[in-house]
Amino acid sequence: MTKKWDEYVKNHPFGNIFQTTAMYGVYKNTKKYSPIKLCSVNEATGEIDGVLLGVTMREMTGILGKGILGEFSTRSIISGGPLVSDNSIDTLSKMIFEHDKMVQKKSLYTEIWNLHEMKSLLDNVKEYNYEDHLNFLINLEVSEEDLWRQIHKSKRKTINRAIKAGVVIEEINHRKMIPTFYDLLKETYKRVKVPLSDITLFESAFDQLVPKNMAKFFLAKYDDTYIGCRAVLTYNNWIHDWYAGALDTALSLYPNDCLVWHVLKWGTEHNYKMFDFGGAGKPDVEYGPREFKRRFGGNLVNYGRYSHIHSPIKIKITDIGFQLYQKYSL
């Protein structure tokens, strides 16, 4: 079934890495992650006509991540899916119904993160509400010169400045460098006061995805110090921006700018078609990374997200817990 599943995803018009069995393996080996894998099979033909890969995650850590607040911080994410044949609303509804039965007692809510325009299909799913959510997509089927020209002048200047100062980009080829990568992530997530997944997510991704050419890990280095990091997922001619971090004390060297440019250039050189910038927030809510991403010249899209709250009461408690997390997290 694994082989048939992956063939189905690869051949689906909206197939993506987040719905592959490889990603299931990554989630399965990540602490505080519990993947859910559902498959619909046509009774008449015996062929797959729908798949759904989701994951429940509890990312709040420390004192507030223990006990009841930790339990209440669990959410379920279905990224890039579900995938169904012939836009079958019946197949879609059945899979989501089964998913919700499995997670409703332990998850506060479920979100479906769209990578394509899915409104005509997902609007038919009961109890799921649509919210606008932006993203930038960058076409990689252009020359390096055209890719460079579409970047905002100010961003080109900071990239050149960093390169001139001696910032270089290295690809991680050994698992022993994942703790270095993770330490850079921790510094950034601490600064913005957002919980970060356990290091096992990145160790598992390195172990299982890198050998299959489904992920790349990069580090920005200045002198003898690593000052920035970026991980991307690669699948079916798409590059998905995944995680990024940088030293607070090195932001003046623009490691993030250099890393994005390196990934874009690498993608063009290796015949990828599209770079997915991984989200740009809600249109009516201020979101700092949106302006950073905008300056790389991508196409702004609004594929939105769908959410279903399983426990409104627990949501209220979690909101209080998250405020405490942001106030007291170290």
Side-chain angles (χ1 to χ4, degrees):
M1 180 60 73
T2 295
K3 183 177 179 181
K4 287 188 175 181
W5 178 300
D6 285 330
E7 287 177 351
Y8 181 84
V9 174
K10 185 175 182 179
N11 294 322
H12 194 282
F14 297 151
N16 61 86
I17 192 170
F18 300 102
Q19 292 298 306
T20 63
T21 59
M23 209 66 197
Y24 174 85
V26 171
Y27 295 149
K28 189 176 181 181
N29 287 282
T30 300
K31 290 181 180 178
K32 299 181 182 178
Y33 275 36
S34 298
I36 295 168
K37 188 168 62 171
L38 296 170
C39 179
S40 174
V41 177
N42 187 299
E43 292 183 355
T45 65
E47 297 297 322
I48 294 176
D49 59 13
V51 299
L52 182 159
L53 174 60
V55 59
T56 61
M57 54 185 72
R58 188 177 75 177
E59 293 182 331
M60 193 173 288
T61 58
I63 295 175
L64 292 172
K66 297 178 181 179
I68 191 167
L69 286 181
E71 293 297 326
F72 282 11
S73 70
T74 301
R75 57 182 178 142
S76 178
I77 303 297
I78 304 171
S79 186
L83 304 176
V84 297
S85 301
D86 303 319
N87 289 329
S88 172
I89 296 170
D90 183 55
T91 301
L92 177 76
S93 298
K94 287 179 179 177
M95 288 198 301
I96 291 180
F97 178 75
E98 289 300 321
H99 168 274
D100 289 354
K101 280 202 306 182
M102 297 170 70
V103 306
Q104 62 185 357
K105 290 184 178 180
K106 55 184 177 181
S107 290
L108 290 168
Y109 61 88
T110 294
E111 283 189 336
I112 301 174
W113 294 0
N114 298 321
L115 301 179
H116 301 274
E117 180 56 64
M118 298 288 290
K119 215 168 182 304
S120 60
L121 185 62
L122 290 173
D123 273 352
N124 296 283
V125 180
K126 294 180 180 179
E127 298 185 333
Y128 274 76
N129 299 311
Y130 173 85
E131 283 188 332
D132 290 321
H133 200 90
L134 304 173
N135 192 18
F136 286 99
L137 299 178
I138 298 177
N139 177 24
L140 298 178
E141 294 184 292
V142 297
S143 67
E144 182 180 321
E145 291 74 19
D146 288 339
L147 193 65
W148 179 253
R149 275 194 291 266
Q150 74 181 23
I151 297 175
H152 193 275
K153 182 179 179 181
S154 63
K155 194 63 64 179
R156 295 201 303 265
K157 185 180 296 185
T158 57
I159 294 169
N160 281 329
R161 187 180 300 167
I163 294 173
K164 187 176 181 180
V167 175
V168 296
I169 307 301
E170 297 179 358
E171 182 177 348
I172 296 179
N173 293 311
H174 299 285
R175 193 181 195 267
K176 65 182 181 180
M177 294 301 294
I178 293 300
T180 300
F181 173 92
Y182 191 68
D183 285 343
L184 290 163
L185 288 184
K186 284 197 297 185
E187 179 147 349
T188 294
Y189 278 68
K190 177 184 176 182
R191 182 175 69 246
V192 298
K193 297 186 177 180
V194 174
L196 175 63
S197 299
D198 187 77
I199 191 174
T200 50
L201 173 64
F202 308 100
E203 292 172 335
S204 181
F206 186 86
D207 292 342
Q208 300 190 51
L209 300 183
V210 170
K212 299 175 182 177
N213 196 33
M214 296 173 71
K216 293 283 183 182
F217 290 78
F218 297 102
L219 291 169
K221 189 175 185 180
Y222 176 71
D223 285 342
D224 294 324
T225 303
Y226 290 106
I227 62 172
C229 67
R230 203 162 207 101
V232 297
L233 304 177
T234 55
Y235 180 81
N236 251 12
N237 299 315
W238 277 61
I239 300 176
H240 301 275
D241 203 27
W242 198 34
Y243 279 87
L247 285 180
D248 291 354
T249 55
L251 294 179
S252 61
L253 290 167
Y254 305 103
N256 291 316
D257 302 42
C258 287
L259 283 160
V260 173
W261 169 239
H262 181 86
V263 170
L264 295 177
K265 187 169 61 169
W266 177 88
T268 296
E269 292 170 352
H270 289 81
N271 301 314
Y272 283 87
K273 294 181 178 179
M274 192 70 66
F275 177 77
D276 161 21
F277 229 142
K282 299 177 182 179
D284 55 347
V285 178
E286 185 176 341
Y287 184 64
R290 182 159 59 235
E291 185 57 30
F292 171 83
K293 296 179 179 185
R294 185 193 306 277
R295 290 177 178 265
F296 283 90
N299 179 38
L300 182 65
V301 297
N302 183 5
Y303 296 146
R305 291 178 175 177
Y306 285 82
S307 62
H308 170 47
I309 296 175
H310 300 296
S311 176
I313 294 176
K314 288 183 180 180
I315 282 283
K316 292 181 180 179
I317 296 173
T318 303
D319 286 342
I320 296 172
F322 185 65
Q323 290 173 16
L324 291 172
Y325 178 92
Q326 289 187 310
K327 185 177 182 179
Y328 294 110
S329 60
L330 300 176

